[in-house]
Amino acid sequence: MQITVRYWVVVGIGFVVVALAFFGWSYRAQAPSPAITASSTENSTPIATTTVVVGPFPINSADTIASWSFKGAYAGNETLIAQANADITHLTGLIGKGEYDDYDLYLGIGNDKGLLGDGKSAYDNYNRAIRIHPQKGLAFVNLGHLFDQFGAYRTAADAYAKATAVEPGVLEYHIQRLNYLTRQFPNDSARIASALTAVYKVFGDTAQILSIKAQWLTELKRYTDAISAWETVKMLSPGKDTTAIDAEIARLQAKQ
């Protein structure tokens, strides 16, 4: 059988309190990655709040954004729209009070705005978060997702790259970046190789990253290289059920 997204990665999608969870083997997503929240990266090192002068994240000159508005995930659902607006009001009221990091509050507002299809407000709030913690990657990941929705694909790639540059020790950011690049720029081998080099430098070989690489190689019809990657995934997964990996290797061998 061909390995599916559901088999290889389980993503907990949350915009206020639910964490993005990565476990099992990660496999390339077939749709834009969801915006994620601060609770998604509990393994990252807390950074003290400090406001610095940082300009808005730049739009890549190769991209054109015809409209900042789009059909948000909550479009047509009045109950969810009301909940998002109530959450925005609540989070806005907490800004500057010191009870929560304003970085997290602005991310929450930005995520709500994205669910409502208000791209400009989402962008502005992610930038407000970046001005507070420019060395945290989460806001950049969410910008990547946002620009992907706009079709500003190079800007999205820039944002994912920035996330891994400022916090290279967070594996989830590398996974998000590679999922995006192998979906949107599958033929840009140099760009993908650069992203792979960045994650290998910090984590070495991991089953999550190699499974993304293997699927990408399969799409390029580089079956021998894909088989090699899956075999390494299997080696790095002791004690796990690797039946699906064996089936995928057999499928690829039949194509050689």
Side-chain angles (χ1 to χ4, degrees), residues 17-246:
V17 295
V18 182
L20 173 70
F22 287 91
F23 56 90
W25 291 288
S26 174
Y27 173 72
R28 180 170 77 75
Q30 300 299 323
S33 305
I36 56 180
T37 62
S39 58
S40 309
T41 56
E42 294 175 355
N43 61 322
S44 59
T45 303
I47 301 176
T49 300
T50 177
T51 302
V52 298
V53 178
V54 179
F57 190 82
I59 311 300
N60 191 296
S61 60
D63 290 330
T64 299
I65 299 177
S67 173
W68 285 89
S69 298
F70 59 96
K71 186 176 181 180
Y74 285 0
N77 190 319
E78 296 302 320
T79 298
L80 293 178
I81 289 172
Q83 289 176 356
N85 283 321
D87 190 53
I88 290 168
T89 299
H90 176 65
L91 294 175
T92 300
L94 293 172
I95 292 172
K97 300 294 180 60
E99 185 176 359
Y100 300 98
D101 192 331
D102 285 356
Y103 178 89
D104 299 335
L105 298 175
Y106 283 126
L107 284 183
I109 294 169
N111 291 342
D112 282 327
K113 291 292 189 179
L115 289 167
L116 295 173
D118 186 348
K120 185 59 167 62
S121 290
Y123 173 71
D124 289 343
N125 279 283
Y126 292 149
N127 277 302
R128 291 182 183 110
I130 290 168
R131 283 194 289 271
I132 295 170
H133 289 316
Q135 296 305 312
K136 278 192 171 185
L138 188 52
F140 295 110
V141 170
N142 285 1
L143 279 172
H145 170 64
L146 182 68
F147 284 117
D148 188 12
Q149 291 179 295
F150 289 145
Y153 300 127
R154 291 168 183 79
T155 307
D158 293 342
Y160 285 119
K162 184 68 172 180
T164 59
V166 298
E167 279 198 289
V170 181
L171 181 60
E172 287 88 346
Y173 299 163
H174 293 278
I175 290 172
Q176 291 279 306
R177 182 186 183 190
L178 282 164
N179 277 335
Y180 175 74
L181 292 178
T182 55
R183 170 172 56 81
Q184 196 59 55
F185 298 98
N187 296 315
D188 193 340
S189 296
R191 188 190 295 262
I192 293 171
S194 178
L196 288 168
T197 297
V199 67
Y200 291 154
K201 182 177 180 180
V202 181
F203 295 98
D205 283 336
T206 67
Q208 298 99 316
I209 296 299
L210 285 172
S211 63
I212 298 171
K213 180 181 179 180
Q215 177 62 15
W216 168 60
L217 291 169
T218 298
E219 292 188 358
L220 295 182
K221 302 186 186 306
R222 292 169 55 183
Y223 301 129
T224 299
D225 293 335
I227 289 168
S228 177
W230 282 126
E231 288 175 340
T232 305
V233 171
K234 184 176 178 179
M235 181 186 68
L236 293 172
S237 308
K240 294 183 181 293
D241 181 1
T242 58
T243 302
I245 297 178
D246 293 333

